[in-house]
Amino acid sequence: DAKTTQPNSMESNEEEPVHLPCNHSTISGTDYIHWYRQLPSQGPEYVIHGLTSNVNNRMASLAIAEDRKSSTLILHRATLRDAAVYYCILRANAGGTSYGKLTFGQGTILTVHP
Amino acid sequence: DAGVTQSPTHLIKTRGQQVTLRCSPKSGHDTVSWYQQALGQEPQFIFQYYEEEERQRGNFPDRFSGHQFPNYSSELNVNALLLGDSALYLCASSRRPAGTDTQYFGPGTRLTVL
């Protein structure tokens, strides 16, 4: 599986934007970029995913570099409830050999200060 | 719409015993994956079931086995428990065919082996 690299931790203040980076220099052309987060004492939760174009949903935005070797998860206004571990994961599309499993890295621990 | 449910919530066993954990997928989902998350670590993929067959397996010994029932629910069995099997066991469900099979996680079963 292609590997991702994320900072171990980041901090933010409440109601400020947060940009969580992820490097994936060995990404293949069919890999989707997924983000999951895990709040304390809960299972991981899907946040967003994309292939080439930037994506927006109610939780966050995903900005993907033109060469696809990096991406950034953007939380537009952080709240205390956004404090979690954020995982950037590459997923093969249907038919790929790694289809079906998520390979988690160590993720980024996001701390949000009031 | 109920999400992914797991039972039991917590479990305490002794070394050498056997344990069975249960998972009910989200409504409309037909694929179940299991993950092990040791304290302070990221989740590790154990295996995935679809159409009542194991489709993919991570780097786990044969002591870890599973089953999927016709109603898509699943069980994870661990034999000859070791202290190192103490972890949070997460179940995730998804739907095939789906290009990127977003996975929905349950709250997990916390297994303690004494």
Side-chain angles (χ1 to χ4, degrees):
Chain A
D1 294 331
K3 185 177 170 59
T4 62
T5 303
Q6 299 176 251
N8 290 333
S9 62
M10 293 186 65
E11 297 187 18
S12 174
N13 294 318
E14 201 173 10
E15 298 191 5
E16 290 185 354
V18 181
H19 290 233
L20 298 165
C22 181
N23 289 319
H24 29 78
S25 58
T26 60
I27 190 171
S28 75
T30 56
D31 283 341
Y32 285 75
I33 302 157
H34 282 240
W35 284 81
Y36 283 75
R37 71 180 185 180
Q38 188 170 20
L39 280 65
S41 301
Q42 294 189 26
E45 172 188 34
Y46 167 79
V47 177
I48 200 168
H49 77 276
L51 183 62
T52 56
S53 303
N54 295 344
V55 184
N56 300 294
N57 66 21
R58 64 174 181 83
M59 291 181 67
S61 296
L62 176 60
I64 301 173
E66 196 169 333
D67 63 5
R68 301 206 331 121
K69 293 184 184 300
S70 66
S71 61
T72 302
L73 178 70
I74 302 165
L75 307 178
H76 294 286
R77 291 184 65 197
T79 70
L80 296 178
R81 288 172 293 180
D82 291 322
V85 181
Y86 286 79
Y87 297 101
C88 169
I89 300 169
L90 301 183
R91 298 295 314 286
N93 65 345
T97 56
S98 67
Y99 178 78
K101 74 175 187 180
L102 293 174
T103 300
F104 290 83
Q106 294 195 331
T108 296
I109 300 171
L110 176 64
T111 301
V112 180
H113 300 289
Chain B
D1 175 26
V4 179
T5 59
Q6 293 186 244
S7 63
T9 306
H10 295 86
L11 203 52
I12 299 174
K13 293 285 189 178
T14 57
R15 281 179 297 175
Q17 285 189 312
Q18 178 264 343
V19 68
T20 297
L21 311 181
R22 295 177 176 82
C23 171
S24 291
K26 182 178 168 63
S27 177
H29 285 188
D30 56 11
T31 302
V32 173
S33 302
W34 286 92
Y35 295 80
Q36 179 195 65
Q37 186 172 26
L39 195 62
Q41 301 297 312
E42 68 274 18
Q44 300 284 338
F45 176 78
I46 303 175
F47 43 52
Q48 183 187 76
Y49 277 84
Y50 171 65
E51 292 185 330
E52 302 180 49
E53 290 188 17
E54 184 182 295
R55 299 292 177 168
Q56 283 204 59
R57 189 178 182 91
N59 189 25
F60 279 81
D62 292 345
R63 296 187 298 109
F64 289 78
S65 63
H67 189 76
Q68 186 179 35
F69 299 94
N71 68 352
Y72 308 120
S73 67
S74 176
E75 289 182 348
L76 164 65
N77 300 293
V78 186
N79 294 322
L81 285 167
L82 303 174
L83 295 179
D85 295 331
S86 294
L88 180 68
Y89 287 85
L90 295 160
C91 168
S93 73
S94 56
R95 180 166 53 94
R96 288 193 186 210
T100 57
D101 80 317
T102 298
Q103 299 200 14
Y104 293 81
F105 284 80
T109 293
R110 172 71 62 187
L111 172 65
T112 302
V113 182
L114 302 176

